[in-house]
Amino acid sequence: MGEGLSIKKCDFMIPENNKNHHTAEISTDRLMVRRGQPFTITVSFSAPIHNYMQQMKRTFLIVQTGSHPSRADEIQIEFPISSLGDQKQWSAAVEEQDPNFWTLCVNTPANAPIGQYTLFLRASKSSYNLGNFILLFNPWCQDDEVFLANEAQRQEYILNQDGVIYQGNENAVLAQPWDFSQVSKRSNRSALSYSHQQRKGSSIHFPVLFQTAGLVPFLTVLAPKKALHLSEAAPLEQDTQLIHSSCFCTVLRCLGIPTRVVTGFTWAHNTKSSLSVDEYYDEDGTLLTQDKSARVWTFHVWNECWMARTDLLVPEYSGWQALDATCPSFCGPAPVHAIKEGDTQVDYDVCYFFAAINAKCQVWIHKADDTLKPAFGGTKYTGNNISTKSVGSDRCEDITQNYKYPEGSLQEKKVLDKAYRNMKELETTSSSTAQFSSIPTVLEEPVNLFMHLQSNSSLQLGQDITLSIEVFNHSGGEKATHLVVGIQALHYNGVPIAQLWKEEFHFNLPSNTGNPFCWCMLGENHLLRLTAVLRDEDSFYIYLAQEEISICDPPLTIEFPENMVQYQPSTAKISLHNPLTEPLEQCVIAVTGRGLIYRQRNYRLGSVQAKSTQELQIPFTPTRAGPGRLTARLSCLQLQNLKSYRTTNMAAA
């Protein structure tokens, strides 16, 4: 600048700008703005501007990423300060001025690369560093690729930190509270670091970003065992797919991309795009592991993000995109609409998701002579009860209809036929190794015998399992039968842990009659599979029935008083009931609650005796009005990381 000209101060007006850009909760000392939306700064000069009018005739702002703008992966853009800014591109306009300062309105384009920028002011041949700011995606901007029209959804999928992830089985969906913590400084630093690593050229094109960059560096940044702890630091022995998907949700929400966590039940994993998967049992109904790659998982967790797919040129493909951060190669983004319609040729990895939720599972009995026989009645249908947290509440929302048409409907048949045709065309026009097998056919079952297995889909830990089986003979004569009933403990991914119980029966079943069986036993594992194998001794047909039981952890009951008010002291009550026949030893309850409790509190209870209940009083003073969640996590020698939560509403002071 001219001799003697200097800038005294640049005020980024952080409180006002961050509030207008929905980032006030993220930072109070750093400017964080969303692209496609203007922000305001003031520049104060050391002396009246009219002293330097010759130097100030042409002034510019410069935005720059990194310290080496000449590099291909860095950006430097210069634009003039004028009286009227262009809101569609980088521009700046003078809103107010007096002899010693300017108030500038800075516009950013809705397709600008996100990340950290340095802002310079240049006049004549001199430049002044005004400071740094963060630019994020903007779901509030209609021109942004991640624009989401519904305000309640924006609040839920961008700003809400209190999440719920679902587990269990298709008949008993269990809720797990989760703190995404996407507005924490640590989460945002890590998310922006990742976005900087992945930026290619002058813009971030989200579909290409995740398709070409891969997930390995991303998961390295997010690994919960590292110091970052973006999401809740859960022990490694817990389900890692919950950790990966929740961390991914945290980062995408940090960057401004509407994201949610989704759980699907009865998931055909690693089918290599085949619409059939096999399960193998021995003659006693014990699950075997011949096929170590393709299995039917009890549940699987992935993510959805909301964005326009301008690369696909079909408007219907915009909207929710499925992303799987848990598989080694990373899958997606796949348009959910394309998955439902069987458009398996669409980028990216639509066939992976389509096969996982549409494959049919055929059960085979591995006989002692190493031959395989089909088990009638054991066919499974995948992709059930696809669930996510609903907007504005902790209620579970079933979104299966977004992914597939009703089982057995005419629309489903048309979609399956189209998927096969698409894959056949792909096989002949590319070298892709992914291919669908022929349409799986359901084995025609003999009608002589019928077996019905019934049990509760979920039980409390320590509660007895009640199991009943009815066997019917619809043939015209007496049947000699052999029945084997068993229970196995399983991992969620279909890997057996141990056989817990087995009992077998030989009996003659008269024509057109039924025979009921009932048992009662103690369940102590988190996921159990009940199987009943019935063999017709005359025809050697084999029938199989199976049910899964999710064992719930002992509940931590949380109670709030009525009519809580912001800034007024209150007390919550947590009750721990021990349903086991032995004491729970070295019990520690960790309590957290954003806006209710400052930092985590740990309460050491010692031992809780068998079949007894212990209560804990939690004093707190709410600092925020509106909804608030209190989460309690129990750890003891017998049980680890068991959670309960309760959401309540605080009146404004």
Side-chain angles (χ1 to χ4, degrees):
M1 288 187 184
E3 186 174 326
L5 175 65
S6 66
I7 293 177
K8 181 179 180 181
K9 178 185 177 183
C10 178
D11 183 0
F12 274 1
M13 303 177 67
I14 292 173
E16 297 88 345
N17 283 320
N18 284 8
K19 179 180 179 182
N20 292 336
H21 287 253
H22 308 278
T23 60
E25 288 195 38
I26 301 176
S27 180
T28 57
D29 56 5
R30 195 175 194 183
L31 179 61
M32 303 188 74
V33 294
R34 301 188 185 276
R35 64 186 192 177
Q37 181 177 341
F39 62 93
T40 303
I41 63 173
T42 61
V43 180
S44 301
F45 300 96
S46 300
I49 299 173
H50 61 75
N51 294 344
Y52 317 103
M53 290 306 295
Q54 189 63 32
Q55 295 90 342
M56 300 289 285
K57 281 184 177 180
R58 285 184 60 80
T59 55
F60 299 84
L61 290 182
I62 301 171
V63 289
Q64 175 180 311
T65 64
S67 55
H68 304 285
S70 59
R71 286 170 42 178
D73 60 345
E74 301 293 357
I75 300 164
Q76 186 181 67
I77 300 173
E78 182 178 281
F79 48 96
I81 299 174
S82 63
S83 58
L84 183 63
D86 184 348
Q87 295 187 1
K88 297 295 184 181
Q89 57 185 331
W90 288 101
S91 64
V94 178
E95 279 195 335
E96 293 182 46
Q97 59 180 320
D98 75 1
N100 289 85
F101 81 89
W102 280 353
T103 298
L104 303 177
C105 178
V106 181
N107 291 302
T108 63
N111 62 348
I114 65 164
Q116 177 171 294
Y117 287 82
T118 303
L119 183 64
F120 297 90
L121 185 145
R122 183 174 72 81
S124 187
K125 296 181 180 180
S126 300
S127 296
Y128 283 86
N129 186 334
L130 302 182
N132 298 325
F133 67 95
I134 302 296
L135 189 65
L136 302 174
F137 290 102
N138 191 355
W140 283 268
C141 174
Q142 194 163 0
D143 294 328
D144 198 304
E145 286 184 312
V146 301
F147 172 67
L148 186 59
N150 186 288
E151 176 61 21
Q153 290 182 328
R154 291 193 291 249
Q155 293 292 324
E156 179 69 43
Y157 300 132
I158 294 291
L159 302 179
N160 185 22
Q161 300 182 80
D162 294 328
V164 178
I165 302 178
Y166 297 100
Q167 305 176 84
N169 63 66
E170 63 182 61
N171 296 317
V173 179
L174 307 179
Q176 170 90 327
W178 208 276
D179 182 2
F180 293 120
S181 299
Q182 72 266 23
V183 302
S184 71
K185 293 181 180 179
R186 187 173 298 172
S187 297
N188 277 269
R189 282 198 303 267
S190 301
L192 290 163
S193 172
Y194 172 68
S195 70
H196 177 75
Q197 293 172 23
Q198 305 305 322
R199 184 163 54 240
K200 304 293 181 183
S202 61
S203 67
I204 293 179
H205 192 277
F206 185 55
V208 176
L209 183 158
F210 285 102
Q211 185 65 16
T212 60
L215 198 58
V216 175
F218 175 67
L219 290 179
T220 301
V221 172
L222 296 184
K225 289 299 286 183
K226 294 185 179 293
L228 299 175
H229 294 287
L230 288 181
S231 190
E232 284 188 301
L236 281 183
E237 61 267 18
Q238 273 203 355
D239 191 0
T240 54
Q241 63 168 327
L242 268 68
I243 297 172
H244 288 171
S245 57
S246 64
C247 286
F248 199 41
C249 182
T250 294
V251 163
L252 296 190
R253 288 186 181 184
C254 282
L255 299 178
I257 302 168
T259 309
R260 61 189 184 185
V261 178
V262 175
T263 302
F265 295 90
T266 318
W267 169 274
H269 181 69
N270 199 23
T271 66
K272 296 181 174 60
S273 299
S274 171
L275 284 185
S276 63
V277 63
D278 298 315
E279 277 189 346
Y280 302 92
Y281 291 80
D282 67 15
E283 294 181 271
D284 292 337
T286 302
L287 180 64
L288 304 175
T289 56
Q290 273 103 325
D291 190 343
K292 298 184 183 302
S293 57
R295 288 196 185 95
V296 177
W297 290 14
T298 303
F299 68 91
H300 183 61
V301 182
W302 66 95
N303 297 98
E304 286 181 359
C305 71
W306 180 274
M307 57 177 289
R309 289 297 300 270
T310 55
D311 57 318
L312 298 179
L313 305 178
V314 177
E316 288 78 12
Y317 293 151
S318 294
W320 288 117
Q321 311 291 314
L323 306 135
D324 194 344
T326 65
C327 56
S329 59
F330 183 77
C331 290
V336 172
H337 180 78
I339 298 171
K340 180 174 183 177
E341 297 299 331
D343 297 332
T344 53
Q345 79 284 2
V346 172
D347 290 335
Y348 296 94
D349 304 307
V350 170
C351 59
Y352 165 82
F353 289 98
F354 185 85
I357 63 172
N358 286 283
K360 303 295 188 295
C361 176
Q362 175 60 47
V363 175
W364 299 87
I365 302 298
H366 190 159
K367 296 175 65 65
D369 60 2
D370 275 344
T371 60
L372 294 174
K373 289 205 66 165
F376 297 105
T379 302
K380 287 183 181 177
Y381 295 90
T382 57
N384 304 315
N385 289 8
I386 300 174
S387 303
T388 191
K389 178 186 177 297
S390 63
V391 174
S393 79
D394 291 337
R395 182 179 58 83
C396 178
E397 180 181 356
D398 190 322
I399 58 172
T400 309
Q401 74 281 355
N402 293 355
Y403 279 84
K404 56 196 299 187
Y405 288 101
E407 206 78 54
S409 67
L410 180 60
Q411 297 102 316
E412 184 203 32
K413 183 181 184 303
K414 290 180 179 178
V415 165
L416 288 171
D417 290 342
K418 179 168 68 171
Y420 288 119
R421 289 196 303 272
N422 289 340
M423 288 308 299
K424 287 298 181 184
E425 291 174 8
L426 182 63
E427 288 173 32
T428 58
T429 57
S430 74
S431 59
S432 172
T433 57
Q435 53 182 297
F436 280 122
S437 64
S438 59
I439 298 178
T441 56
V442 178
L443 294 172
E444 199 171 311
E445 300 189 18
V447 296
N448 291 337
L449 294 178
F450 174 77
M451 180 168 51
H452 179 64
L453 172 62
Q454 188 171 3
S455 181
N456 292 331
S457 298
S458 67
L459 296 170
Q460 294 293 328
L461 184 65
Q463 185 178 351
D464 288 346
I465 300 170
T466 301
L467 165 65
S468 69
I469 299 174
E470 290 184 285
V471 180
F472 297 92
N473 178 8
H474 296 297
S475 71
E478 186 176 79
K479 286 285 185 181
T481 58
H482 176 216
L483 175 66
V484 182
V485 184
I487 296 179
Q488 268 184 294
L490 296 181
H491 292 291
Y492 75 92
N493 60 359
V495 176
I497 300 173
Q499 182 80 27
L500 303 180
W501 172 79
K502 184 183 72 172
E503 196 166 337
E504 53 185 301
F505 307 86
H506 293 269
F507 55 91
N508 293 324
L509 192 60
S511 173
N512 298 313
T513 61
N515 196 4
F517 300 85
C518 293
W519 294 267
C520 191
M521 62 211 73
L522 183 67
E524 295 183 351
N525 294 79
H526 280 77
L527 181 62
L528 305 177
R529 179 168 293 176
L530 282 59
T531 58
V533 177
L534 179 68
R535 186 171 70 242
D536 183 342
E537 301 285 27
D538 298 325
S539 66
F540 298 105
Y541 284 138
I542 299 175
Y543 302 80
L544 182 135
Q546 56 179 297
E547 288 286 339
E548 288 184 352
I549 299 178
S550 296
I551 306 299
C552 307
D553 299 317
L556 288 165
T557 305
I558 302 174
E559 297 179 53
F560 284 114
E562 295 181 1
N563 304 321
M564 288 181 293
V565 180
Q566 182 185 17
Y567 303 127
Q568 291 187 10
S570 191
T571 302
K573 183 174 74 173
I574 298 178
S575 302
L576 168 61
H577 176 67
N578 177 10
L580 303 180
T581 55
E582 59 179 296
L584 297 177
E585 298 176 350
Q586 299 182 23
C587 294
V588 178
I589 295 180
V591 181
T592 57
R594 188 179 297 103
L596 300 176
I597 293 175
Y598 180 67
R599 294 181 179 174
Q600 177 176 295
R601 296 184 196 169
N602 295 322
Y603 296 89
R604 301 185 182 277
L605 302 183
S607 296
V608 178
Q609 298 304 309
K611 304 295 183 180
S612 68
T613 301
Q614 191 159 334
E615 295 181 352
L616 185 64
Q617 301 295 319
I618 310 293
F620 67 96
T621 301
T623 58
R624 297 180 183 178
R629 175 190 290 181
L630 195 70
T631 301
R633 185 175 70 248
L634 168 68
S635 294
C636 61
L637 287 183
Q638 293 81 1
L639 306 166
Q640 289 293 318
N641 208 41
L642 311 183
K643 294 180 184 177
S644 184
Y645 68 99
R646 180 83 181 271
T647 301
T648 188
N649 206 63
M650 267 70 63

